[in-house]
Amino acid sequence: AVLFLDLDGFKDINDSFGHQAGDQFLKAFSEKLTRQIRSTELVARLGGDEFAIVSEGIESAESAADLAQRVTDLLAQPFEIGQNKLHAGVSIGISMYPSDGRSPDELLHNADLAMYRAKENPLSSYAFFEESMNQEVQAHKQLVDDIRNGLKSDQFHLVYQPVVDLQQRRIIGIEALARWTHPDSGAVSPGTFIPVAEKSGLIIPFGEWAMQTACDEMLDCINDPHNPIELSINLSPIQLHRGDPLGLVAATLERYQLPPSALDIEITES
């Protein structure tokens, strides 16, 4: 069996206590893990907060699960680093020879895929590889390519949801919502393509397109001197962390000669 380990919450340790404390935590975890393994098991650090365990002589999935649980139990108690008690969890993906691969690279790759499945499951710290995971990866890659091509070929468009003041009986705002008509699949739900755009980083150019398109199409409405309305546009948290949201908004306001009150920036639910 091959176990792929990824520490959960390790970034928070680095951010909160510094990289020196993070390094000490990794060393403490490594020493504890090394003391727990058997003579037929090999443990290695792959890089960052990722580790792997190779266990020979595993005869059943239950035995591999027992090993994963032993590793999980190591992190049940906090690690005392200096004056601090530091906590982290672990997500573990498991692949089995020969059913899940016959080469080291294939086994490690499939254990890595299973690890991501474990991260998505709050009820268990480990997951076994399934062939459907490879199919999901291929489908994800295809969807990323389709989104990128869709942005280039104008497959996306915006629809507008009115915000109505019932007391005044008038529209006071509009919210721009992205829609995608795929040339082969037809309408694709935002719940499908937005998370993929976020994970791939395509949400940054996508967000820029959405803001410019909304202002182009709704400029007369939001710039009406007699009845100005507010334009609501969604920004992903990814744009806040990796993009330049302040520069994007400032450039948009200057380009369309809009007052700041014309735009309402909303953060997506994710």
Short mmCIF file of all heavy atoms in Angstrom, two decimals, residues 166-208:
data_model
loop_
_atom_site.label_atom_id
_atom_site.label_comp_id
_atom_site.label_asym_id
_atom_site.label_seq_id
_atom_site.Cartn_x
_atom_site.Cartn_y
_atom_site.Cartn_z
N LEU A 166 -39.62 48.13 -2.71
CA LEU A 166 -41.07 47.99 -2.77
C LEU A 166 -41.79 49.25 -2.29
O LEU A 166 -42.88 49.57 -2.77
CB LEU A 166 -41.51 46.79 -1.94
CG LEU A 166 -41.04 45.42 -2.45
CD1 LEU A 166 -41.52 44.31 -1.53
CD2 LEU A 166 -41.52 45.17 -3.87
N GLN A 167 -41.18 49.96 -1.32
CA GLN A 167 -41.83 51.18 -0.83
C GLN A 167 -41.82 52.27 -1.90
O GLN A 167 -42.81 52.98 -2.11
CB GLN A 167 -41.14 51.67 0.44
CG GLN A 167 -41.39 50.75 1.65
CD GLN A 167 -40.76 51.30 2.91
OE1 GLN A 167 -39.74 51.97 2.86
NE2 GLN A 167 -41.37 50.99 4.06
N GLN A 168 -40.68 52.41 -2.58
CA GLN A 168 -40.58 53.41 -3.63
C GLN A 168 -41.17 52.93 -4.96
O GLN A 168 -41.39 53.71 -5.88
CB GLN A 168 -39.12 53.83 -3.86
CG GLN A 168 -38.45 54.45 -2.65
CD GLN A 168 -37.04 54.90 -2.97
OE1 GLN A 168 -36.79 55.55 -4.00
NE2 GLN A 168 -36.10 54.58 -2.09
N ARG A 169 -41.38 51.61 -5.04
CA ARG A 169 -41.91 51.00 -6.25
C ARG A 169 -41.04 51.31 -7.47
O ARG A 169 -41.53 51.72 -8.53
CB ARG A 169 -43.35 51.45 -6.50
CG ARG A 169 -44.31 51.00 -5.42
CD ARG A 169 -45.74 51.33 -5.77
NE ARG A 169 -46.65 50.88 -4.72
CZ ARG A 169 -47.97 51.00 -4.77
NH1 ARG A 169 -48.53 51.55 -5.83
NH2 ARG A 169 -48.73 50.57 -3.77
N ARG A 170 -39.74 51.11 -7.27
CA ARG A 170 -38.84 51.33 -8.40
C ARG A 170 -37.61 50.44 -8.26
O ARG A 170 -37.26 49.97 -7.17
CB ARG A 170 -38.42 52.80 -8.49
CG ARG A 170 -37.47 53.27 -7.40
CD ARG A 170 -37.12 54.75 -7.57
NE ARG A 170 -36.13 55.19 -6.59
CZ ARG A 170 -34.81 55.15 -6.79
NH1 ARG A 170 -34.33 54.67 -7.93
NH2 ARG A 170 -33.97 55.57 -5.86
N ILE A 171 -36.97 50.21 -9.39
CA ILE A 171 -35.72 49.44 -9.41
C ILE A 171 -34.59 50.34 -8.92
O ILE A 171 -34.38 51.44 -9.44
CB ILE A 171 -35.42 48.93 -10.83
CG1 ILE A 171 -36.50 47.92 -11.26
CG2 ILE A 171 -34.04 48.28 -10.88
CD1 ILE A 171 -36.35 47.45 -12.69
N ILE A 172 -33.88 49.89 -7.90
CA ILE A 172 -32.77 50.67 -7.36
C ILE A 172 -31.42 50.03 -7.66
O ILE A 172 -30.37 50.62 -7.41
CB ILE A 172 -32.92 50.87 -5.85
CG1 ILE A 172 -32.93 49.51 -5.13
CG2 ILE A 172 -34.17 51.67 -5.52
CD1 ILE A 172 -32.88 49.60 -3.62
N GLY A 173 -31.44 48.82 -8.20
CA GLY A 173 -30.17 48.16 -8.50
C GLY A 173 -30.36 46.99 -9.44
O GLY A 173 -31.48 46.52 -9.66
N ILE A 174 -29.27 46.52 -9.99
CA ILE A 174 -29.27 45.32 -10.83
C ILE A 174 -28.03 44.50 -10.49
O ILE A 174 -26.95 45.06 -10.26
CB ILE A 174 -29.28 45.65 -12.34
CG1 ILE A 174 -28.27 46.76 -12.66
CG2 ILE A 174 -30.67 46.01 -12.82
CD1 ILE A 174 -28.18 47.09 -14.13
N GLU A 175 -28.20 43.20 -10.46
CA GLU A 175 -27.07 42.31 -10.19
C GLU A 175 -26.71 41.55 -11.46
O GLU A 175 -27.57 40.94 -12.09
CB GLU A 175 -27.41 41.32 -9.09
CG GLU A 175 -26.24 40.38 -8.77
CD GLU A 175 -26.54 39.42 -7.62
OE1 GLU A 175 -27.69 39.40 -7.14
OE2 GLU A 175 -25.61 38.69 -7.23
N ALA A 176 -25.44 41.63 -11.84
CA ALA A 176 -24.96 40.94 -13.03
C ALA A 176 -24.62 39.49 -12.68
O ALA A 176 -23.88 39.22 -11.73
CB ALA A 176 -23.72 41.65 -13.58
N LEU A 177 -25.19 38.55 -13.44
CA LEU A 177 -24.98 37.12 -13.20
C LEU A 177 -24.47 36.46 -14.47
O LEU A 177 -25.03 36.66 -15.55
CB LEU A 177 -26.29 36.46 -12.76
CG LEU A 177 -26.94 37.05 -11.50
CD1 LEU A 177 -28.35 36.49 -11.32
CD2 LEU A 177 -26.08 36.77 -10.28
N ALA A 178 -23.41 35.68 -14.34
CA ALA A 178 -22.77 35.07 -15.51
C ALA A 178 -23.52 33.81 -15.93
O ALA A 178 -23.97 33.02 -15.10
CB ALA A 178 -21.32 34.73 -15.20
N ARG A 179 -23.61 33.62 -17.24
CA ARG A 179 -24.21 32.42 -17.82
C ARG A 179 -23.32 31.92 -18.94
O ARG A 179 -22.62 32.69 -19.59
CB ARG A 179 -25.62 32.72 -18.36
CG ARG A 179 -26.62 33.13 -17.28
CD ARG A 179 -26.93 31.96 -16.36
NE ARG A 179 -27.94 32.30 -15.36
CZ ARG A 179 -27.67 32.68 -14.12
NH1 ARG A 179 -26.39 32.81 -13.75
NH2 ARG A 179 -28.64 32.93 -13.27
N TRP A 180 -23.35 30.61 -19.16
CA TRP A 180 -22.48 30.00 -20.17
C TRP A 180 -23.31 29.07 -21.05
O TRP A 180 -23.96 28.16 -20.56
CB TRP A 180 -21.36 29.21 -19.48
CG TRP A 180 -20.36 28.59 -20.41
CD1 TRP A 180 -20.13 28.90 -21.72
CD2 TRP A 180 -19.43 27.54 -20.08
NE1 TRP A 180 -19.12 28.12 -22.23
CE2 TRP A 180 -18.68 27.28 -21.25
CE3 TRP A 180 -19.17 26.82 -18.92
CZ2 TRP A 180 -17.69 26.31 -21.27
CZ3 TRP A 180 -18.19 25.87 -18.95
CH2 TRP A 180 -17.44 25.62 -20.11
N THR A 181 -23.25 29.31 -22.34
CA THR A 181 -23.86 28.42 -23.31
C THR A 181 -22.74 27.69 -24.05
O THR A 181 -22.08 28.25 -24.92
CB THR A 181 -24.74 29.18 -24.31
OG1 THR A 181 -25.72 29.93 -23.60
CG2 THR A 181 -25.45 28.21 -25.25
N HIS A 182 -22.51 26.45 -23.67
CA HIS A 182 -21.44 25.64 -24.25
C HIS A 182 -21.89 25.17 -25.64
O HIS A 182 -23.04 24.76 -25.82
CB HIS A 182 -21.16 24.44 -23.36
CG HIS A 182 -19.92 23.67 -23.71
ND1 HIS A 182 -19.88 22.77 -24.75
CD2 HIS A 182 -18.68 23.68 -23.17
CE1 HIS A 182 -18.67 22.24 -24.82
NE2 HIS A 182 -17.92 22.78 -23.87
N PRO A 183 -20.99 25.23 -26.64
CA PRO A 183 -21.40 24.86 -28.00
C PRO A 183 -21.87 23.41 -28.14
O PRO A 183 -22.67 23.10 -29.03
CB PRO A 183 -20.13 25.10 -28.83
CG PRO A 183 -19.01 25.13 -27.85
CD PRO A 183 -19.60 25.68 -26.58
N ASP A 184 -21.39 22.53 -27.28
CA ASP A 184 -21.80 21.12 -27.35
C ASP A 184 -22.79 20.73 -26.24
O ASP A 184 -23.74 20.00 -26.48
CB ASP A 184 -20.58 20.20 -27.27
CG ASP A 184 -19.61 20.42 -28.42
OD1 ASP A 184 -20.10 20.67 -29.55
OD2 ASP A 184 -18.39 20.37 -28.19
N SER A 185 -22.55 21.23 -25.03
CA SER A 185 -23.34 20.82 -23.88
C SER A 185 -24.54 21.73 -23.61
O SER A 185 -25.40 21.38 -22.79
CB SER A 185 -22.46 20.79 -22.62
OG SER A 185 -21.30 20.02 -22.84
N GLY A 186 -24.60 22.88 -24.27
CA GLY A 186 -25.69 23.81 -24.01
C GLY A 186 -25.44 24.61 -22.74
O GLY A 186 -24.29 24.91 -22.40
N ALA A 187 -26.51 24.95 -22.02
CA ALA A 187 -26.39 25.77 -20.82
C ALA A 187 -25.65 25.00 -19.72
O ALA A 187 -26.01 23.87 -19.39
CB ALA A 187 -27.76 26.20 -20.34
N VAL A 188 -24.62 25.64 -19.16
CA VAL A 188 -23.85 25.05 -18.06
C VAL A 188 -24.09 25.90 -16.82
O VAL A 188 -23.97 27.12 -16.85
CB VAL A 188 -22.34 25.02 -18.39
CG1 VAL A 188 -21.56 24.39 -17.24
CG2 VAL A 188 -22.08 24.27 -19.69
N SER A 189 -24.42 25.25 -15.71
CA SER A 189 -24.75 25.96 -14.48
C SER A 189 -23.54 26.70 -13.91
O SER A 189 -22.42 26.16 -13.92
CB SER A 189 -25.27 24.97 -13.43
OG SER A 189 -25.31 25.56 -12.15
N PRO A 190 -23.73 27.92 -13.39
CA PRO A 190 -22.63 28.60 -12.70
C PRO A 190 -22.09 27.78 -11.54
O PRO A 190 -20.90 27.89 -11.21
CB PRO A 190 -23.29 29.90 -12.20
CG PRO A 190 -24.45 30.12 -13.09
CD PRO A 190 -24.95 28.74 -13.45
N GLY A 191 -22.96 26.97 -10.92
CA GLY A 191 -22.48 26.11 -9.85
C GLY A 191 -21.48 25.08 -10.31
O GLY A 191 -20.73 24.51 -9.51
N THR A 192 -21.42 24.85 -11.63
CA THR A 192 -20.45 23.92 -12.21
C THR A 192 -19.18 24.64 -12.63
O THR A 192 -18.07 24.21 -12.30
CB THR A 192 -21.06 23.20 -13.42
OG1 THR A 192 -22.18 22.43 -13.00
CG2 THR A 192 -20.03 22.28 -14.08
N PHE A 193 -19.33 25.78 -13.35
CA PHE A 193 -18.12 26.37 -13.93
C PHE A 193 -17.42 27.38 -13.02
O PHE A 193 -16.21 27.57 -13.13
CB PHE A 193 -18.40 26.98 -15.31
CG PHE A 193 -19.29 28.20 -15.34
CD1 PHE A 193 -18.79 29.45 -15.04
CD2 PHE A 193 -20.61 28.09 -15.73
CE1 PHE A 193 -19.60 30.58 -15.11
CE2 PHE A 193 -21.44 29.21 -15.79
CZ PHE A 193 -20.93 30.46 -15.48
N ILE A 194 -18.15 28.02 -12.09
CA ILE A 194 -17.49 29.01 -11.22
C ILE A 194 -16.46 28.35 -10.29
O ILE A 194 -15.32 28.83 -10.19
CB ILE A 194 -18.53 29.81 -10.41
CG1 ILE A 194 -19.34 30.73 -11.34
CG2 ILE A 194 -17.84 30.65 -9.33
CD1 ILE A 194 -18.54 31.82 -12.01
N PRO A 195 -16.78 27.24 -9.58
CA PRO A 195 -15.76 26.62 -8.73
C PRO A 195 -14.53 26.16 -9.50
O PRO A 195 -13.41 26.27 -9.00
CB PRO A 195 -16.51 25.42 -8.11
CG PRO A 195 -17.95 25.79 -8.16
CD PRO A 195 -18.10 26.56 -9.43
N VAL A 196 -14.73 25.67 -10.72
CA VAL A 196 -13.59 25.23 -11.53
C VAL A 196 -12.76 26.43 -11.96
O VAL A 196 -11.52 26.38 -11.95
CB VAL A 196 -14.08 24.44 -12.77
CG1 VAL A 196 -12.92 24.11 -13.69
CG2 VAL A 196 -14.79 23.17 -12.33
N ALA A 197 -13.42 27.53 -12.32
CA ALA A 197 -12.70 28.75 -12.68
C ALA A 197 -11.90 29.27 -11.49
O ALA A 197 -10.78 29.78 -11.64
CB ALA A 197 -13.67 29.82 -13.18
N GLU A 198 -12.45 29.13 -10.28
CA GLU A 198 -11.74 29.58 -9.08
C GLU A 198 -10.50 28.73 -8.83
O GLU A 198 -9.41 29.25 -8.58
CB GLU A 198 -12.67 29.53 -7.87
CG GLU A 198 -13.74 30.61 -7.89
CD GLU A 198 -14.60 30.60 -6.64
OE1 GLU A 198 -14.85 29.51 -6.07
OE2 GLU A 198 -15.03 31.68 -6.23
N LYS A 199 -10.66 27.40 -8.90
CA LYS A 199 -9.54 26.52 -8.61
C LYS A 199 -8.42 26.66 -9.64
O LYS A 199 -7.24 26.51 -9.32
CB LYS A 199 -10.02 25.06 -8.57
CG LYS A 199 -10.85 24.72 -7.35
CD LYS A 199 -11.24 23.25 -7.33
CE LYS A 199 -12.06 22.89 -6.11
NZ LYS A 199 -12.46 21.46 -6.10
N SER A 200 -8.78 26.94 -10.89
CA SER A 200 -7.78 27.02 -11.95
C SER A 200 -7.15 28.40 -12.08
O SER A 200 -6.17 28.58 -12.81
CB SER A 200 -8.41 26.64 -13.29
OG SER A 200 -9.42 27.59 -13.65
N GLY A 201 -7.70 29.40 -11.39
CA GLY A 201 -7.19 30.76 -11.51
C GLY A 201 -7.83 31.54 -12.65
O GLY A 201 -7.56 32.74 -12.81
N LEU A 202 -8.65 30.88 -13.46
CA LEU A 202 -9.31 31.56 -14.58
C LEU A 202 -10.35 32.56 -14.10
O LEU A 202 -10.83 33.38 -14.89
CB LEU A 202 -9.98 30.54 -15.50
CG LEU A 202 -9.04 29.70 -16.38
CD1 LEU A 202 -9.82 28.62 -17.12
CD2 LEU A 202 -8.31 30.59 -17.38
N ILE A 203 -10.69 32.51 -12.82
CA ILE A 203 -11.68 33.45 -12.28
C ILE A 203 -11.17 34.88 -12.34
O ILE A 203 -11.97 35.83 -12.37
CB ILE A 203 -12.05 33.07 -10.82
CG1 ILE A 203 -13.36 33.72 -10.40
CG2 ILE A 203 -10.91 33.42 -9.87
CD1 ILE A 203 -14.57 33.21 -11.12
N ILE A 204 -9.85 35.07 -12.40
CA ILE A 204 -9.32 36.44 -12.45
C ILE A 204 -9.62 37.11 -13.79
O ILE A 204 -10.23 38.18 -13.82
CB ILE A 204 -7.81 36.43 -12.12
CG1 ILE A 204 -7.59 35.98 -10.66
CG2 ILE A 204 -7.19 37.82 -12.33
CD1 ILE A 204 -6.16 35.84 -10.25
N PRO A 205 -9.24 36.51 -14.94
CA PRO A 205 -9.66 37.13 -16.20
C PRO A 205 -11.17 37.09 -16.39
O PRO A 205 -11.75 37.99 -17.01
CB PRO A 205 -8.93 36.30 -17.27
CG PRO A 205 -8.59 35.01 -16.62
CD PRO A 205 -8.35 35.34 -15.18
N PHE A 206 -11.83 36.07 -15.83
CA PHE A 206 -13.28 35.97 -15.93
C PHE A 206 -13.94 37.15 -15.21
O PHE A 206 -14.89 37.77 -15.72
CB PHE A 206 -13.76 34.66 -15.33
CG PHE A 206 -15.23 34.39 -15.51
CD1 PHE A 206 -15.69 33.74 -16.64
CD2 PHE A 206 -16.15 34.80 -14.56
CE1 PHE A 206 -17.04 33.50 -16.82
CE2 PHE A 206 -17.50 34.55 -14.73
CZ PHE A 206 -17.95 33.90 -15.87
N GLY A 207 -13.44 37.46 -14.01
CA GLY A 207 -13.99 38.59 -13.25
C GLY A 207 -13.78 39.92 -13.94
O GLY A 207 -14.65 40.81 -13.90
N GLU A 208 -12.62 40.07 -14.58
CA GLU A 208 -12.36 41.30 -15.33
C GLU A 208 -13.33 41.43 -16.50
O GLU A 208 -13.86 42.51 -16.78
CB GLU A 208 -10.91 41.31 -15.81
CG GLU A 208 -9.89 41.38 -14.67
CD GLU A 208 -8.46 41.19 -15.16
OE1 GLU A 208 -8.29 40.93 -16.38
OE2 GLU A 208 -7.54 41.28 -14.34
#
